[in-house]
């Protein structure tokens, strides 16, 4: 029981991180019908900006953890957004009316480019960070084993839930969110009622990047070490999560993320750590066989 | 004063040209209709006025200003609204949200009054305002498409076959609302129709399009009386 609970906590934490990244995939796909393969690298850049900001704050002597966290959070959201915005502006927008394959290849190219860019600037070696948030709660103590719910995990879960609530309100209740949904449903019609489609797409990339940057910060805090390559696997898994949940659906992305996180945690705990990635993909294949639109995806038939 | 002036417009899709030099003039306060067979290029003209597909040659003026090269959103923000072919309401949004989308470029202070106006024209939309637009009937979707266009307070309303697929009673209702919008709200209307009889009776003037060109124009009465028109577009009509 205790062991199970521990894996549940670990899986949820991991799932939150995947879910935050997955939203970026799903929103961009929803609007321009393209898989932004460089989105994993945006997440990686978010983690790098976080570590650089932490180190810089250490240098100027900002030692109070809540303040430091807040500054890092804002800095990485802001700066990573600039990368997300520039990515769309420079690489994707000129190809908006080209065949999809061109955009897809460009996205893969941008992914490789961004990896190399960070490798060049930051070096290929691991970047470690001293634990920032330590301690936690122990319960269900039973001999040697106790369930450990760390303060960091609580923070990750709480912050993600807060972001999700804010984000859902933004999409459902504000004029900007309405414009985004309109663009998702009919880009040409959205333009026809005066929506600046380019601007809406830019904002979508900015939102996706800022959520991914928070995931990057969480990843950094959780694992304490990053390198220029972390965007690849995290990106693939988050993409899997988006497809699993139903690509184009924001709640689906979050649900898919949680499921992938949980599958990974339980699989490594009860079966074998080596095959944890395979497990997630196997589940994906199964779901797509029985529900091609993903768990919460809408079938396209209603698009009259 | 001329609200819309199209001169020598060429436009098409890729290498295929659909409009081969179209001239149109719509004056303030008019209802002008455009009729023509399937595939003549009517919808292409309406869309091209809004910048998509873009004019490859020619000039489009709205309220005296050259809009030929402006992006779509900038064109419609100048006071032009279109209820396009196929209605294209946002199916996963509620009726109310669709109307809010229509108003997204106008001053929020007008919103309540404009909404009330649309609900007065189409009371069924008030009843259905929380319903998902994709689940509305065809006629209700058409009303919503027109209502959404009206929410932007247009000076010029472009309507693409608003009567398509509707029962005769609804067709009459749609046309009487168009007249009311024109008279009461002083909206200039450019109406594309297959239903030539109703359209020509309603309109002050009409154009006939064939194969991407204007082949005939005149007052609604004259066109209705024209034997060629009768033969081509009205035989079998009421
Ligand atoms: N998206 C498109 N891509 C390629 N060709 C198109 C496209 N839309 C229309 N066309 C072509 O352009 C020509 C004009 O079509 P358009 O839709 O403007 O005609 P229409 O007069 O509106 O016809 P209808 O009365 O059937 O609506 C047709 O030959 C049509 O096949
Ligand atoms: Mg048409």
């Amino acid at each position: 029981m205790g062991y199970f609970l521990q894996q549940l906590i670990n899986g949820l934490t991991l799932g939150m991180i995947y879910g935050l990244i997955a939203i970026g995939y799903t929103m961009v796909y929803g609007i321009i019908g393209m898989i932004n393969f460089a989105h994993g690298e945006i997440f990686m850049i978010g983690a790098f900006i976080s570590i650089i900001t932490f180190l810089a704050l250490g240098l100027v002597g900002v030692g109070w953890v809540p303040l430091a966290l807040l500054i890092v959070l804002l800095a990485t959201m802001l700066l990573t957004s600039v990368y997300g915005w520039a990515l769309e502006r420079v690489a994707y927008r000129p190809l908006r009316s080209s065949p999809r394959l061109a955009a897809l290849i460009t996205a893969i190219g941008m992914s490789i480019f961004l990896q190399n860019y960070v490798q060049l600037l930051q070096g290929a070696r691991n970047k470690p960070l001293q634990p920032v948030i330590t301690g936690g709660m122990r319960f269900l103590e039973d001999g040697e084993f106790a369930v450990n719910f760390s303060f960091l995990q609580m923070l990750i879960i709480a912050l993600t839930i807060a972001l999700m609530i804010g984000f859902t309100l933004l999409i459902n209740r504000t004029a900007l969110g309405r414009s985004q949904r309109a663009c998702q449903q009919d880009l040409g019609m959205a333009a026809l009622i005066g929506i600046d489609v380019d601007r809406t797409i830019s904002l979508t990339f900015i939102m996706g990047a800022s959520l991914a940057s928070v995931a990057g910060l969480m990843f950094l805090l959780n694992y304490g070490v990053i390198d220029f390559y972390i965007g690849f696997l995290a990106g693939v898994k988050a993409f899997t999560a988006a497809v699993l949940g139903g690509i184009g659906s924001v709640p689906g992305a979050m649900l898919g993320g949680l499921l992938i996180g949980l599958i990974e945690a339980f699989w490594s705990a009860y079966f074998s750590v080596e095959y944890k990635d395979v497990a997630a993909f196997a589940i994906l294949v199964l779901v797509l066989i029985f529900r091609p639109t993903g768990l919460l995806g809408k079938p396209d038939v209603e698009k009259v | 004063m001329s609200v819309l002036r199209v001169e020598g417009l060429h436009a098409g899709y890729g290498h295929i040209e659909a409009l081969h030099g179209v001239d149109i003039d719509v004056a303030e306060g008019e209802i002008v209709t455009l009729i023509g067979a399937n595939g003549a290029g009517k919808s292409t003209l309406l869309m091209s006025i809004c910048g998509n597909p873009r004019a490859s040659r020619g000039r489009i003026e709205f309220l005296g200003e050259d809009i030929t090269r402006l992006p779509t959103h900038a064109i419609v923000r100048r006071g032009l609204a279109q209820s396009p072919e196929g209605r294209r309401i946002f199916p996963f949004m509620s009726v109310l949200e669709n109307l809010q989308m229509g108003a997204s470029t106008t001053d929020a202070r007008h919103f309540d009054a404009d909404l009330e106006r649309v609900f007065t024209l189409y009371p069924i939309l008030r009843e259905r305002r929380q319903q998902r637009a994709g689940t509305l009937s065809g006629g209700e979707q058409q009303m919503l498409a027109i209502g959404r266009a009206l929410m932007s307070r247009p000076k010029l309303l472009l309507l693409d076959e608003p009567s398509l697929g509707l029962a005769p009673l609804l067709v009459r209702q749609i046309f009487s609302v168009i007249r009311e919008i024109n008279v009461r709200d002083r909206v200039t209307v450019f109406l594309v129709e297959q239903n030539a009889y109703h359209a020509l009776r309603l309109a002050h003037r009409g154009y006939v399009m064939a194969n991407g060109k204007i082949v005939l124009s005149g007052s609604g009465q004259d066109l209705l009386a024209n034997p060629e028109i009768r033969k081509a577009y009205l035989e079998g009509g009421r």
Side-chain angles (χ1 to χ4, degrees):
Chain A
M1 180 62 200
Y3 189 60
F4 177 86
L5 207 60
Q6 183 69 64
Q7 296 318 317
L8 190 68
I9 293 171
N10 295 349
L12 280 178
T13 312
L14 199 58
M16 296 277 172
I17 295 177
Y18 291 148
L20 284 177
I21 308 173
I23 290 173
Y25 281 108
T26 226
M27 286 208 312
V28 164
Y29 182 85
I31 284 201
I32 54 177
M34 160 197 171
I35 307 293
N36 175 16
F37 276 110
H39 188 56
E41 274 58 50
I42 294 292
F43 153 81
M44 177 271 290
I45 287 173
F48 267 88
I49 293 173
S50 300
I51 200 168
I52 292 169
T53 316
F54 269 124
L55 297 178
L57 286 179
L59 287 181
V60 297
V62 177
W64 191 47
V65 171
L67 180 64
L69 272 176
L70 187 69
I71 294 175
V72 171
L73 182 70
L74 294 179
T76 191
M77 284 177 87
L78 194 75
L79 296 174
T80 311
S81 296
V82 176
Y83 278 92
W85 172 82
L87 175 68
E88 190 273 333
R89 194 71 193 75
V90 174
Y92 302 153
R93 188 174 301 180
L95 297 173
R96 189 78 51 77
S97 51
S98 320
R100 285 204 180 171
L101 192 61
L104 201 71
I105 293 170
T106 305
I108 294 171
M110 285 313 291
S111 158
I112 298 171
F113 168 78
L114 288 173
Q115 275 178 29
N116 284 284
Y117 163 81
V118 172
Q119 185 182 5
L120 214 71
L121 285 183
Q122 297 294 323
R125 275 188 299 150
N126 288 344
K127 294 253 173 289
L129 180 74
Q130 297 291 328
V132 178
I133 303 171
T134 49
M137 274 166 43
R138 293 167 68 83
F139 50 94
L140 282 182
E141 259 176 279
D142 170 24
E144 305 226 315
F145 189 79
V147 178
N148 184 24
F149 194 4
S150 72
F151 292 137
L152 176 61
Q153 288 173 319
M154 291 178 202
L155 179 74
I156 288 176
I157 292 173
L159 184 57
T160 307
I161 290 174
L163 279 172
M164 289 316 302
I165 292 173
F167 192 71
T168 308
L169 289 178
L170 181 78
I171 296 276
N172 289 328
R173 299 282 171 80
T174 67
L176 171 63
R178 256 199 319 274
S179 302
Q180 279 185 316
R181 283 182 289 140
C183 286
Q184 267 197 28
Q185 290 170 42
D186 190 336
L187 210 58
M189 190 62 225
L192 218 46
I193 51 175
I195 305 294
D196 185 341
V197 168
D198 281 337
R199 182 170 162 270
T200 309
I201 293 174
S202 282
L203 284 169
T204 304
F205 273 83
I206 287 173
M207 283 153 97
S210 62
L211 291 180
S213 75
V214 178
L217 167 62
M218 290 171 174
F219 183 96
L220 171 69
L221 293 172
N222 202 35
Y223 293 100
V225 53
I226 58 172
D227 62 40
F228 70 94
Y229 203 60
I230 57 168
F232 176 72
L233 202 58
V236 168
K237 283 188 192 148
F239 171 62
T240 309
V243 176
L244 181 64
I247 192 126
S249 156
V250 171
M254 209 56 224
L255 177 69
L258 286 181
L259 286 176
I260 297 282
L262 288 170
I263 291 167
E264 213 175 295
F266 281 110
W267 191 278
S268 348
Y270 290 103
F271 302 103
S272 75
V273 185
E274 292 89 65
Y275 291 112
K276 70 178 163 94
D277 300 334
V278 178
F281 297 131
I283 302 271
L284 172 75
V285 170
L286 280 180
V287 168
L288 288 186
I289 287 172
F290 294 106
R291 254 191 89 84
T293 54
L295 294 172
L296 299 184
K298 302 176 191 135
D300 249 351
V301 286
E302 217 168 342
K303 259 188 187 171
V304 264
Chain B
M1 190 191 126
S2 152
V3 172
L4 176 71
R5 174 175 287 150
V6 176
E7 285 168 5
L9 178 68
H10 291 250
Y13 306 92
H15 294 296
I16 305 161
E17 197 180 76
L19 302 177
H20 320 287
V22 172
D23 298 290
I24 297 276
D25 198 87
V26 180
E28 191 171 349
E30 276 190 309
I31 300 179
V32 175
T33 187
L34 173 68
I35 59 177
N38 292 117
K42 306 179 297 294
S43 301
T44 306
L45 173 61
L46 286 199
M47 289 304 292
S48 189
I49 290 168
C50 297
N52 177 29
R54 200 152 285 292
S56 53
R57 266 196 287 162
R59 181 181 164 87
I60 306 166
E61 263 178 33
F62 178 61
L63 297 170
E65 189 189 0
D66 184 358
I67 57 165
T68 322
R69 303 272 149 232
L70 292 182
T72 299
H73 65 92
I75 293 173
V76 300
R77 283 180 190 184
R78 280 171 168 65
L80 192 155
Q82 179 170 177
S83 164
E85 179 161 54
R87 295 147 193 170
R88 291 174 73 174
I89 48 143
F90 299 112
F92 297 112
M93 287 189 183
S94 70
V95 167
L96 185 63
E97 284 179 318
N98 268 275
L99 295 172
Q100 286 174 319
M101 285 313 300
S104 46
T105 58
T106 53
D107 192 331
R109 276 173 301 182
H110 300 149
F111 181 78
D112 291 332
D114 294 350
L115 188 68
E116 202 46 46
R117 176 76 185 123
V118 169
F119 284 163
T120 311
L121 289 171
Y122 297 121
I124 186 77
L125 294 182
R126 186 197 303 275
E127 278 172 45
R128 302 277 152 122
R129 63 179 180 277
Q130 298 303 342
Q131 188 172 326
R132 205 150 52 90
T135 63
L136 293 177
S137 75
E140 291 162 353
Q141 291 194 6
Q142 186 59 62
M143 296 176 199
L144 180 57
I146 297 176
R148 179 180 61 185
L150 289 176
M151 288 302 288
S152 69
R153 306 197 141 206
K155 299 187 187 78
L156 172 66
L157 179 62
L158 308 176
L159 296 171
D160 198 339
E161 303 204 26
S163 75
L164 187 72
L166 302 187
L169 187 68
L170 264 182
V171 173
R172 230 163 295 146
Q173 202 180 324
I174 293 271
F175 278 89
S176 82
V177 166
I178 295 172
R179 190 193 301 273
E180 189 176 338
I181 294 166
N182 176 251
V183 176
R184 289 248 332 245
D185 306 276
R186 295 171 200 289
V187 178
T188 306
V189 177
F190 187 49
L191 168 71
V192 165
E193 259 301 330
Q194 289 271 326
N195 201 326
Y197 175 76
H198 274 111
L200 289 172
R201 287 212 346 176
L202 173 75
H204 301 106
R205 291 190 301 117
Y207 290 93
V208 182
M209 182 181 255
N211 300 319
K213 280 191 180 127
I214 300 297
V215 291
L216 212 58
S217 68
S219 75
Q221 295 305 322
D222 288 351
L223 289 176
L224 266 177
N226 185 317
E228 277 178 64
I229 301 284
R230 296 195 79 87
K231 190 153 168 292
Y233 304 107
L234 297 173
E235 270 346 31
R238 275 131 296 171

